[in-house]
Amino acid sequence: LVPLVVERDRLQAANALLSIAQATAFAVGATAAGILAATAGAGFALAIDAASFAASALLVAGIRPSEQLRSQGTSFLRELREGFREFTAHTWLWTIVLQFTFMLMAWFGAWAVLGPVVANQSLGGASSWGWIAGAQGIGLIAGGALALRVHFRRPMLAATLFCLPSAAVPLLLAGPAPVAAIAAAAFAAGFGFQVFSVLWNTALHTRVAP
């Protein structure tokens, strides 16, 4: 949808603004949800969540995108083959997808499973993990702010390199290191992931045939 409502030369800025808004919403939303669930109950929090989806649908309904290119008289299987040919035609595209197939499996295992367990057993409990997760959220916002202003000559090389700091988080959890050190690594990981996200989406919008 983004390239259908934003001019080509403004796509990176648009993707950066979307990333900043999403990261901010995740941080504020998680805090608000925790407070709501603790004070008014999980059912009320879920009702507010449902209402937010309704509000989102109303906002999206007001978007007027430009006309989308469509294939005439082709079958689903033919479109699938054409899409796969386009996918494999870009080395940067399929190699990064392959890379993230393994990278995200390791990352989410460490972040979503190992991290909270280590925090509960060795770092003082949920509050410590809250500081670490909060640091990642701030990193996401900061990464979006950088991507809003900086353009890279080789964007996908830069995007991939920005993901390297994320390796520090599982390494520091292995010790485990002090909370402050893990939080600093989580900030760097969030920063790098957000820069990657903006550059990746912009590359998809500008370098892959519609």
Side-chain angles (χ1 to χ4, degrees), residues 155-182:
M156 295 320 302
L157 175 61
T160 302
L161 293 176
F162 267 104
C163 290
L164 287 176
S166 65
V169 174
L171 290 174
L172 292 173
L173 285 171
V179 171
I182 301 173

Side-chain angles (χ1 to χ4, degrees), residues 114-126 128-129:
L114 179 64
V117 171
V118 171
N120 190 51
Q121 294 180 349
S122 306
L123 297 175
S128 297
W129 190 248

Side-chain angles (χ1 to χ4, degrees), residues 126-153:
S127 61
S128 297
W129 190 248
W131 284 106
I132 294 168
Q136 190 203 29
I138 296 171
L140 289 168
I141 296 171
L146 175 74
L148 181 62
R149 299 179 177 276
V150 178
H151 293 265
F152 298 91
R153 187 173 63 86

